[in-house]
Amino acid sequence: MKLIYQSGLRIFKSTMITPLRKFEKFTKTNLFKSILVVTGATDGIGKEYARELARQGLNLVLISRTKEKLIAVTNEIESQYNVKIKWIVVDFAKGREVYDQIEEELNGIDVGILVNNVGMIHDPETLDKVSEDTLWDLLTVNMGSVTMLTRKILPQMIGRRKGAIVNLGSSSELQPLPNLTAYAASKKFITHFSKGLEYEVADHNIHVQLVMPNFVATNMNAYSDKVRQGGLLFPNAYSYARSAVFTLGKTSETNGFWVHGIQYALMKLAPMQIRTYFGNQLFKRLRIEALEHRQKKQNLY
């Protein structure tokens, strides 16, 4: 009963109370003043985080691997809002070498908010059938980027005694996910990294937020037509980001979207073994859907 009460309170606080409050522009607060840096900023949730905070008046630094997309997103957002945008082309899958470039490009820029959004996933598949190259890239991007980019930017936030770090994790961290074994494990890393960091920087007036979405209708879930179609359980990136941004500065942990908060809380009530069993059954079906999706694409060519 206590667990049910705590879960309900968590949902109400992180996904219901905050959206009902009058939203204050981040530029009017000491905590969030200055520049927003977003990784994985040309698609999905990252792009919509950038758009939403540009709407609030923040200048942006967008980081992604495709120059053409960065230019397109920059032009799109600048045409909508009176903000300045700098973009940086890097491929986080290259590992350590990209961070010196990012540090040099950010020299002299006061970063107020860092959104560690970049990540990758593979179609549902058993580990033995996922290529080694894909696994190395997944681990390097999903865990390396959040760790090393935070390490690069954190000293300036500590020096100014203000800032916010937003880490995009996933509800998949809640239990092992067979057929997405490495991906779910990498998201558990982000959970523990975020919660440990939160305590480390609390005395420096730095806010760390862990965001754990469930399915969002983005290109990352292209293997599932049902998810891509969207709906109540599968918000699009625009709706999800607007909801998640409302919680920034008000809670250190959120699922970002009210339906996802309910799903997460209900799943958490079940024992780990039960959650893993149902996760296994779900992604077995999604694995078949992904195989069928690939087959259809191959038949088109």
Side-chain angles (χ1 to χ4, degrees):
M1 191 59 131
K2 182 179 179 182
L3 181 58
I4 295 174
Y5 171 77
Q6 290 174 338
S7 299
L9 184 63
R10 178 176 172 276
I11 296 170
F12 189 63
K13 177 182 177 183
S14 65
T15 61
M16 298 299 287
I17 293 178
T18 304
L20 294 174
R21 293 175 176 169
K22 184 178 178 181
F23 188 68
E24 297 178 357
K25 285 190 175 182
F26 292 130
T27 51
K28 293 183 179 179
T29 71
N30 289 330
L31 185 59
F32 299 114
K33 193 174 181 181
S34 61
I35 307 296
L36 165 72
V37 173
V38 183
T39 65
T42 55
D43 289 298
I45 294 172
K47 177 182 176 181
E48 297 307 330
Y49 251 89
R51 189 198 307 277
E52 176 60 21
L53 288 168
R55 189 176 73 86
Q56 303 303 326
L58 271 74
N59 295 323
L60 311 176
V61 177
L62 307 180
I63 305 177
S64 192
R65 65 179 177 176
T66 307
K67 180 179 178 180
E68 292 74 20
K69 286 186 175 183
L70 281 166
I71 293 173
V73 172
T74 295
N75 292 337
E76 181 181 333
I77 294 177
E78 284 184 338
S79 70
Q80 292 177 306
Y81 307 109
N82 184 28
V83 297
K84 297 178 180 179
I85 300 177
K86 174 183 174 66
W87 47 263
I88 302 173
V89 180
V90 296
D91 182 356
F92 285 99
K94 293 183 178 179
R96 186 169 185 171
E97 67 183 69
V98 306
Y99 296 97
D100 288 340
Q101 177 194 342
I102 295 173
E103 185 176 36
E104 183 177 340
E105 298 254 20
L106 293 178
N107 185 37
I109 296 176
D110 290 339
V111 179
I113 308 175
L114 169 63
V115 179
N116 284 310
N117 167 74
V118 68
M120 66 170 288
I121 194 172
H122 57 77
D123 288 353
E125 187 55 273
T126 57
L127 188 68
D128 61 299
K129 292 184 175 65
V130 182
S131 74
E132 291 188 11
D133 286 343
T134 296
L135 289 171
W136 275 115
D137 287 350
L138 185 147
L139 298 176
T140 301
V141 173
N142 289 7
M143 297 190 292
S145 65
V146 66
T147 304
M148 299 314 300
L149 192 54
T150 299
R151 176 60 182 84
K152 288 290 187 184
I153 291 176
L154 194 57
Q156 62 163 276
M157 289 185 175
I158 292 174
R160 295 195 312 274
R161 290 190 55 77
K162 61 183 179 183
I165 298 167
V166 180
N167 295 328
L168 267 292
S170 170
S171 292
S172 64
E173 63 83 46
L174 193 55
Q175 69 284 307
L177 278 183
N179 292 291
L180 277 180
T181 296
Y183 173 79
S186 73
K187 291 303 180 178
K188 189 65 174 181
F189 171 88
I190 292 176
T191 295
H192 284 201
F193 176 82
S194 300
K195 302 313 290 185
L197 185 66
E198 178 186 351
Y199 281 87
E200 288 184 6
V201 301
D203 292 340
H204 300 289
N205 194 36
I206 297 170
H207 178 71
V208 178
Q209 185 183 55
L210 171 65
V211 182
M212 297 177 292
N214 209 324
F215 286 110
V216 178
T218 68
N219 290 333
M220 287 190 74
N221 298 307
Y223 58 81
S224 173
D225 292 336
K226 185 174 182 180
V227 174
R228 288 297 305 278
Q229 288 170 3
L232 180 62
L233 299 180
F234 315 124
N236 60 34
Y238 172 78
S239 299
Y240 181 83
R242 290 208 69 177
S243 174
V245 165
F246 270 113
T247 69
L248 184 52
K250 298 180 176 69
T251 179
S252 63
E253 182 179 319
T254 181
N255 298 107
F257 193 76
W258 68 274
V259 174
H260 291 185
I262 293 172
Q263 290 175 310
Y264 187 88
L266 291 176
M267 288 190 297
K268 203 168 185 178
L269 294 176
M272 175 76 77
Q273 187 175 1
I274 300 298
R275 299 200 300 266
T276 305
Y277 171 80
F278 281 106
N280 184 34
Q281 296 305 307
L282 171 62
F283 280 94
K284 274 185 177 179
R285 292 197 297 271
L286 289 176
R287 177 175 176 268
I288 295 172
E289 188 174 345
L291 290 171
E292 292 174 346
H293 185 267
R294 286 201 300 271
Q295 188 63 49
K296 288 179 183 177
K297 286 182 67 176
Q298 290 173 1
N299 291 339
L300 292 175
Y301 298 98

